[in-house]
Amino acid sequence: MGDFNKLSPIEAAHQFIRKHFPNCQGALLAGSVVRSEATATSDLDIVIFDHNVSSSYRESLTEFDWSIEVFVHNLTSYKHFFKNDYERARPSMPRMISEGMVLKDDGIIDSVKKEAKEIIEKGPAEWSVETINAKRYFISDALDDFIGSANRAEDIFIANTLAELVSEFVLRTNRKWIGASKWVVRSLKQYDEEFAKQFVEAFDIFYRTGDKNHVIQLVENILQPFGGKLFHGFSLGKK
């Protein structure tokens, strides 16, 4: 049974801001609660813009019966996070701000949201041929380990590595954002719902039954348009 006395996410966020950041220039509520994806363990992600803050910081708190993650910035520090997120192809801060629900705005939120949306729409930088080949090599190496292994414990962790490498490869070669943890699947779905389903099913079959064939076929199919598995002739750092 739910807690009928618990504040709604929006009211809890407003009270949090009034208590801790009453003089801030802007505030957003972001994360799963504004995407209607909240679960029983979801927290509140709150982004604060305050010109009195000398440097950005992140803090985790429990207040108003909610777990709260607060991301505090002045009016320029967020740009460093935009740049860093773009370079690593994981747009955590741009996504929070572009999707965020405005809780307070002294006239600064529109321009920041515009910056965030432009980054999201642009997508990550295109991989070079050298980067693609390096990624092919490491995927091929993990795939060979997976095929050759007869140790169930090792198989599981090789599969984990393959899932991470292959999801990154598919997304980045298509100039799509990548993610970690739950955002691996979410990013794949944003790219292609049907492919995401095939990807999950292949690894699910392996984890449940030990049958490697679906994973092997999936990986080989992904590598095929780029020349297939790569070993012979690969070099890294040679002058």
Side-chain angles (χ1 to χ4, degrees):
M1 183 178 295
D3 184 349
F4 293 105
N5 295 316
K6 187 173 182 178
L7 293 175
S8 71
I10 296 172
E11 183 55 33
H14 275 296
Q15 290 207 25
F16 179 83
I17 293 164
R18 287 194 289 267
K19 178 179 178 181
H20 293 283
F21 301 95
N23 300 314
C24 69
Q25 285 68 56
L28 297 163
L29 176 62
S32 58
V33 295
V34 298
R35 293 193 304 270
S36 300
E37 297 173 348
T39 68
T41 58
S42 291
D43 56 18
L44 303 184
D45 293 328
I46 300 175
V47 184
I48 301 291
F49 297 96
D50 189 336
H51 65 63
N52 293 312
V53 174
S54 59
S55 60
S56 58
Y57 67 90
R58 173 178 177 171
E59 190 170 15
S60 301
L61 304 159
T62 302
E63 293 199 23
F64 310 111
D65 296 319
W66 281 94
S67 297
I68 298 173
E69 294 271 9
V70 59
F71 304 81
V72 185
H73 296 275
N74 58 39
L75 302 188
T76 58
S77 65
Y78 70 91
K79 293 178 181 290
H80 167 75
F81 288 84
F82 277 10
K83 181 176 183 292
N84 185 61
D85 283 359
Y86 176 76
E87 290 173 349
R88 70 192 184 111
R90 293 182 182 178
S92 302
M93 184 58 62
R95 184 180 283 122
M96 280 199 294
I97 291 174
S98 66
E99 296 176 350
M101 176 187 297
V102 179
L103 299 169
K104 183 177 180 181
D105 181 17
D106 287 352
I108 58 98
I109 295 295
D110 280 352
S111 62
V112 180
K113 271 184 167 287
K114 184 173 182 288
E115 287 181 65
K117 288 176 181 177
E118 286 174 350
I119 291 170
I120 295 292
E121 291 169 3
K122 180 181 179 181
E126 185 175 2
W127 267 357
S128 67
V129 172
E130 290 77 15
T131 298
I132 290 173
N133 285 337
K135 298 293 184 176
R136 278 175 61 206
Y137 172 80
F138 291 118
I139 291 171
S140 300
D141 185 55
L143 182 59
D144 283 343
D145 282 347
F146 186 65
I147 293 170
S149 174
N151 183 308
R152 174 63 177 168
E154 293 179 1
D155 288 350
I156 291 170
F157 290 95
I158 299 169
N160 293 350
T161 297
L162 268 176
E164 183 177 350
L165 290 174
V166 171
S167 63
E168 178 196 41
F169 187 85
V170 169
L171 292 168
R172 290 304 308 274
T173 54
N174 285 281
R175 292 200 63 188
K176 302 298 182 183
W177 300 109
I178 63 173
S181 187
K182 61 190 177 186
W183 274 101
V184 172
V185 175
R186 290 177 181 180
S187 298
L188 288 171
K189 285 182 177 179
Q190 288 174 359
Y191 160 61
D192 185 322
E193 287 267 1
E194 183 57 34
F195 173 79
K197 180 181 177 182
Q198 294 172 7
F199 184 94
V200 171
E201 284 181 350
F203 282 93
D204 187 41
I205 288 169
F206 163 70
Y207 288 126
R208 285 188 294 106
T209 71
D211 181 355
K212 299 181 180 182
N213 289 323
H214 292 82
V215 171
I216 294 167
Q217 190 63 57
L218 175 79
V219 177
E220 290 180 343
N221 289 345
I222 288 166
L223 292 178
Q224 191 275 328
F226 299 90
K229 289 165 61 177
L230 176 61
F231 179 79
H232 178 73
F234 175 73
S235 176
L236 191 63
K238 182 179 181 181
K239 301 295 185 180

